[in-house]
Each structure stands twice: as structure tokens, then as C-alpha cells.
Amino acid sequence: MKDRLFKKVFIISISIYLLAVIFLLPGVFSGKILLNQVILNFGSLQIRWYGLLIATGVFLSFYLANDTAKKWNISEDDLSNAVMIGIIFSIIGARAYYVTFNWDYYSKLPFSEVFKTWHGGMAIHGGILGALIAVYLYTKIKKNITFNFLQGLDLMAHVLPLGQAIGRWGNFFNYEAYGSPTNLPWKMYVPPQFRMPGYESYEYFHPTFLYESTWDLLIFLFLFYYARNKKRFDGEIISLYLILYSAGRGVIELLRTDSLMFLNMKVAVLISILFIIIGISLYIILSKKDKQEG
């Protein structure tokens, strides 16, 4: 492989992941080590693992996307502006999505609670939708832009799974996003105060955060290499991302105990199915168009 950056990213990401799995997870999963959500306290200000890991994911994704942008002749200014707008829209989208599908709970609270994201309640599907909207608006409004809508989505999609893979470890430190009770060898101990209502008598659960983080990391490594070395047409990477991520998320969501619901169905499963259909359709349409033009 001629892509030296990919080689470095592959070795470093796999090494860090294996170290975490080998040396951190056994103690926590057995219950011998209890995690603290807070890293440091500065008076009323807290630095939490969740926030730090999300920020780390965003920074690393931007760094790698910037290198790919140079290969695609996309200006750093355009990328930086799009990323800043994308982050804002992603936060708004993630919160709006969560609140919308959990309105029975928020409707009973003061309206100000809707804006208190530090109290928890963000949904990745809402964040993805927010980012899609941000890229669309930026490419339509900005003049003399160095990338089009589909290129922007491809640039986002080839690094987004890395941010998701890292962010899922924030769920690990928060003892959230775990699955149903299990006695499998890799079962995860969840302290009583973090157990979902109805599951208070169970101690061990599926570590669904780990399932999804692993899947996200594999998708990232594949898409990062593919986007930089094998991409054939604009829109190819976002299509593959929608298909691959949604396939894994839809299956893993079936194990979750904290899913958002709509008409007694898991919203994430429904959205995953929709994204797979969109991804396949988009890939077929764009692939045919590329062959006709080529």
C-alpha cells in the first residue's frame, strides 16, 4: 500500500484499541474496577470522559479529513468552515432528535431542560442528519466553493466512523448504551445506579457500546482507505457509509435496553432500515450515472 498515512492510522488505531480491550475492559467488565465519569473538577466546572472523547474524535476526524481534502483539491478554509457549521448543526440535530422521540419525558419538565445537553440525551442519527443539512446548506450558499454536495458528504463519511468509534467509549465511562442481560464471557458489569428500570436485579449486560465501536472502527478503516485510493465517483463513500453503518447499528440496536421508541418500534432500527435503502438506491443511481458519463 502506497498510502503511508493509512498505514500509520491502521497500526495506531488497532494498537490503541487492543490495549484498551486487553488491559481496561477485563477489570471493568468483571466489576473489580468502577469507572468515574469525571476526570477533573474545577469548582462547578467538570471535565468528563464523555466530552473529552467526543472532542478527541472530532479533532482526529478533522485532521485526517484535512489530509484527504488536499488530495481532492479542497481548500482548508472551505473544510474548516464546513466542519464548524457541521458541528453546530450536528449538536442541534442530535439533541432535537432525542428530545422529539422522548417528548413524553421532556413535556413534563421546564422547557429550559430541552437545551441542557450536559444532562444527557443525544442521538447519533440526529447528529448525522444535522451534518447532512449543514453540508447541503454550505455548498448551496457559499460562493466559489471548492467541493460539491456529494464530495462534502464523502469527505465527512470517510472519517465520521472514527469519531463514532471513539465516542462510544464515552458511553462506556457513563455506563450507558449497554444491552440486555447476558452471561456471555464478555459480559459487562453495570453498577446498580446505572441499571435501566426493570433490570435492577441483573448485574451483567451486553457491552453494546463495544460492539458498535468495533464495527465503527472497521468501517472507518475500510472507508478511509477506499476514499483515498479506490473512490470512483462522488457520493460513493456516503452511500457505502449509510449501508455499512446502518446494517451494524440496526442489528446491535435490537440488543439495547434504552432505545428511543415510536409506535412500539425502535426508532434506530427504523432509521437504519431507511438509511440502508437510501444508501443502496444512491449507490445504484450514481454508479449508473458514472458509467454513462465515463
Side-chain angles (χ1 to χ4, degrees), residues 64-128:
L64 296 176
N66 189 49
D67 189 84
T68 302
K70 293 176 182 178
K71 294 170 68 75
W72 293 358
N73 296 316
I74 296 174
S75 77
E76 187 172 347
D77 284 343
D78 273 337
L79 175 61
S80 299
N81 293 336
V83 168
M84 290 303 299
I85 296 171
I87 290 173
I88 295 172
F89 272 71
S90 292
I91 293 173
I92 295 173
R95 184 59 171 176
Y97 182 103
Y98 184 87
V99 171
T100 298
F101 289 106
N102 207 14
W103 186 244
D104 285 344
Y105 170 76
Y106 284 97
S107 63
K108 299 179 178 64
L109 299 175
F111 187 70
S112 59
E113 189 66 26
V114 169
F115 304 99
K116 297 178 180 179
T117 57
W118 56 91
H119 288 177
M122 305 283 277
I124 185 60
H125 279 136
I128 294 172

Side-chain angles (χ1 to χ4, degrees), residues 173-223:
F173 281 94
N174 282 353
Y175 285 107
E176 61 188 9
Y178 53 83
S180 55
T182 184
N183 284 315
L184 290 171
W186 54 85
K187 60 189 177 184
M188 174 183 179
Y189 175 78
V190 176
Q193 65 270 31
F194 296 108
R195 295 172 194 168
M196 293 293 294
Y199 294 91
E200 294 85 354
S201 61
Y202 296 93
E203 293 184 326
Y204 297 96
F205 300 80
H206 277 283
T208 45
F209 88 89
L210 182 63
Y211 301 164
E212 187 170 337
S213 179
T214 304
W215 182 241
D216 289 341
L217 180 61
L218 293 175
I219 295 173
F220 161 68
L221 292 173
F222 169 68
L223 290 183

Side-chain angles (χ1 to χ4, degrees), residues 132-287:
L132 293 175
I133 294 172
V135 174
Y136 177 78
L137 292 177
Y138 186 76
T139 55
K140 293 302 178 183
I141 297 174
K142 177 71 164 57
K143 296 181 179 179
N144 301 318
I145 192 169
T146 54
F147 63 89
N148 60 43
F149 177 52
L150 290 176
Q151 284 178 315
L153 293 185
D154 283 347
L155 193 62
M156 175 189 75
H158 91 298
V159 295
L160 178 58
L162 175 63
Q164 292 175 275
I166 295 173
R168 280 301 175 196
W169 285 83
N171 298 136
F172 166 65
F173 281 94
N174 282 353
Y175 285 107
E176 61 188 9
Y178 53 83
S180 55
T182 184
N183 284 315
L184 290 171
W186 54 85
K187 60 189 177 184
M188 174 183 179
Y189 175 78
V190 176
Q193 65 270 31
F194 296 108
R195 295 172 194 168
M196 293 293 294
Y199 294 91
E200 294 85 354
S201 61
Y202 296 93
E203 293 184 326
Y204 297 96
F205 300 80
H206 277 283
T208 45
F209 88 89
L210 182 63
Y211 301 164
E212 187 170 337
S213 179
T214 304
W215 182 241
D216 289 341
L217 180 61
L218 293 175
I219 295 173
F220 161 68
L221 292 173
F222 169 68
L223 290 183
F224 187 71
Y225 176 78
Y226 193 93
R228 293 165 61 87
N229 300 279
K230 301 291 184 179
K231 177 184 171 183
R232 295 177 295 129
F233 54 86
D234 292 339
E236 185 176 14
I237 308 305
I238 184 62
S239 300
L240 293 173
Y241 168 79
L242 290 174
I243 296 167
L244 294 173
Y245 171 68
S246 300
R249 175 60 189 275
V251 173
I252 294 169
E253 190 69 25
L254 296 175
L255 294 171
R256 292 272 294 268
T257 58
D258 60 345
S259 303
L260 298 175
M261 306 296 291
F262 178 71
L263 299 177
N264 293 321
M265 293 180 287
K266 293 190 173 187
V267 177
V269 174
L270 297 176
I271 296 297
S272 293
I273 294 173
L274 176 61
F275 277 3
I276 290 173
I277 294 173
I278 292 174
I280 293 174
S281 301
L282 188 62
Y283 187 90
I284 293 173
I285 293 171
L286 294 176
S287 179

